[in-house]
Amino acid sequence: MKINYNNKKFRPVKNTLNGETTEETIFEYKQNGNILSSEYSGGKILKGHLIGLVDENGNIEMRYHQVNDKGQLMTGICFSKPEILMDGKIRLHEKWEWTSGDKSKGKSTIEEC
């Protein structure tokens, strides 16, 4: 099944402690062809953007940058793997890594809301 993320909103439901997204963070996805983009904000994130590529299985490879509530510009990379839930909504299992700050890695889960 081909997944299209255009006009879908996602909210984090789980994150490792070194991450900045929380349940208050909302991602608004746009997709044109295989190019994905999003603006996001909420919780500890004042403003963020991501850009990525979606493969034929709905997996996403992305880069992100955001300004947090400490006024820091943070950047990273993320790989997301989709899961289709019983209600038809999408859950994304994410492995990410900061390319700024302490360059640590983490895992998060976001769900379509």
Side-chain angles (χ1 to χ4, degrees):
M1 178 177 83
K2 191 112 171 120
I3 297 175
N4 190 312
Y5 296 100
N6 196 44
N7 292 325
K8 295 190 182 299
K9 291 185 180 183
F10 291 86
R11 173 188 310 263
V13 294
K14 195 167 34 171
N15 200 355
T16 44
L17 291 175
N18 57 333
E20 292 188 339
T21 62
T22 64
E23 291 178 0
E24 292 84 41
T25 310
I26 300 293
F27 294 83
E28 297 187 35
Y29 279 23
K30 300 289 182 195
Q31 185 176 342
N32 188 348
N34 71 329
I35 299 172
L36 179 79
S37 62
S38 176
E39 286 198 16
Y40 57 96
S41 62
K44 298 178 185 177
I45 299 171
L46 301 180
K47 188 162 186 74
H49 299 100
L50 65 81
I51 191 160
L53 295 172
V54 181
D55 73 13
E56 63 278 357
N57 298 314
N59 298 304
I60 308 166
E61 177 185 350
M62 67 180 82
R63 307 291 184 266
Y64 60 88
H65 58 246
Q66 61 201 36
V67 175
N68 64 24
D69 59 0
K70 297 175 189 162
Q72 298 168 314
L73 177 61
M74 302 295 290
T75 61
I77 59 176
C78 181
F79 298 91
S80 299
K81 184 178 172 82
E83 172 190 359
I84 306 301
L85 302 175
M86 295 293 286
D87 62 4
K89 292 193 174 189
I90 303 167
R91 175 185 291 154
L92 291 169
H93 299 276
E94 304 186 315
K95 293 180 181 176
W96 51 265
E97 181 177 345
W98 292 114
T99 55
S100 63
D102 65 6
K103 300 202 165 63
S104 61
K105 297 180 181 183
K107 291 181 180 179
S108 55
T109 305
I110 66 173
E111 292 183 357
E112 185 178 347
C113 50

